Amino acid sequence: MISAAVVLSAELEVSILNRAFNDQSPSSTVFYQQKMAAGFTPQSWQDYAFQFGANYQHLSSGALALKIVTNMGMGNDIGLQGALVSYLDAVGKENVGIVAVQLGHLLLGLENATGDLAVYNAPAAAWAKEIAESYMYSTNSANGVPSPKGAPAGAAAWSSAAEHPQIDDAAMVQLVGVSDDAGALLV
């Protein structure tokens, strides 16, 4: 069983994108600018994710996959990285921003998963904490510079893959959504 659906918002999308690609939270001013650029509708959020991902087009699918899964706290899972490479190759790496947001949403929904997806409980809990703390950092007007990369001081195990169990390939394929219909996750 997968936990309750994530409530979508520009703030969530921007937080996911910054953490997935940069492992960093933007300053409050940049966060506000990004939130406004993302707009107010699911379509505008998707368009923003597409544009955000365009900044990383120079990277190979493998480098993009490694960056995203590492920054989401699952960098120790080679199978997940491989599945993400395959998925990016299938849907086109120009969609990497959209894919990163979708993976971020899926992971947020797995904190209380059961069955085969239970292997994602710890990474999902760490990711949820990371996104919540990223939002808190970026909405604090006193934070005029980006956060340090990685875990902030005092946030033990934040974005730490070392504490998470290895994810088996079958469950990983379900998370990433690789199937015969490679475009299934793209809306």
Side-chain angles (χ1 to χ4, degrees), residues 60-110:
S60 68
S61 294
L64 288 167
L66 178 62
K67 173 183 275 301
I68 292 167
V69 299
T70 298
N71 290 345
M72 288 186 175
M74 298 179 292
N76 63 336
D77 191 320
I78 302 302
L80 179 60
Q81 291 174 33
L84 190 53
V85 168
S86 296
Y87 186 65
L88 287 170
D89 287 344
V91 301
K93 74 176 188 171
E94 66 272 9
N95 292 302
V96 70
I98 297 168
V99 171
V101 166
Q102 291 172 334
L103 185 57
H105 286 232
L106 289 169
L107 189 55
L108 285 172
L110 294 175

Side-chain angles (χ1 to χ4, degrees), residues 70-76 122-123 126 130 151 155-164:
T70 298
N71 290 345
M72 288 186 175
M74 298 179 292
N76 63 336
E130 181 172 344
W158 196 40
S159 190
S160 171
E163 296 186 10
H164 303 311

Side-chain angles (χ1 to χ4, degrees), residues 10-161:
E11 293 89 347
L12 176 63
E13 310 304 290
V14 168
S15 295
I16 288 173
L17 288 165
N18 280 288
R19 296 309 307 182
F21 284 101
N22 303 320
D23 202 22
Q24 190 172 42
S25 304
S27 69
S28 62
T29 302
V30 170
F31 182 77
Y32 178 77
Q33 292 168 345
Q34 289 178 339
K35 180 179 91 165
M36 296 311 292
F40 303 99
T41 67
Q43 182 60 51
S44 69
W45 302 332
Q46 182 174 327
D47 294 344
Y48 183 76
F50 183 83
Q51 293 169 352
F52 194 98
N55 295 315
Y56 300 89
Q57 290 300 303
H58 63 283
L59 298 174
S60 68
S61 294
L64 288 167
L66 178 62
K67 173 183 275 301
I68 292 167
V69 299
T70 298
N71 290 345
M72 288 186 175
M74 298 179 292
N76 63 336
D77 191 320
I78 302 302
L80 179 60
Q81 291 174 33
L84 190 53
V85 168
S86 296
Y87 186 65
L88 287 170
D89 287 344
V91 301
K93 74 176 188 171
E94 66 272 9
N95 292 302
V96 70
I98 297 168
V99 171
V101 166
Q102 291 172 334
L103 185 57
H105 286 232
L106 289 169
L107 189 55
L108 285 172
L110 294 175
E111 191 169 349
N112 297 309
T114 59
D116 291 344
L117 296 176
V119 296
Y120 296 105
N121 293 157
W127 179 244
K129 179 176 173 45
E130 181 172 344
I131 293 301
E133 289 186 8
S134 175
Y135 172 79
M136 291 182 342
Y137 180 90
S138 293
T139 56
N140 182 342
S141 62
N143 293 323
V145 297
S147 71
K149 289 190 181 265
W158 196 40
S159 190
S160 171

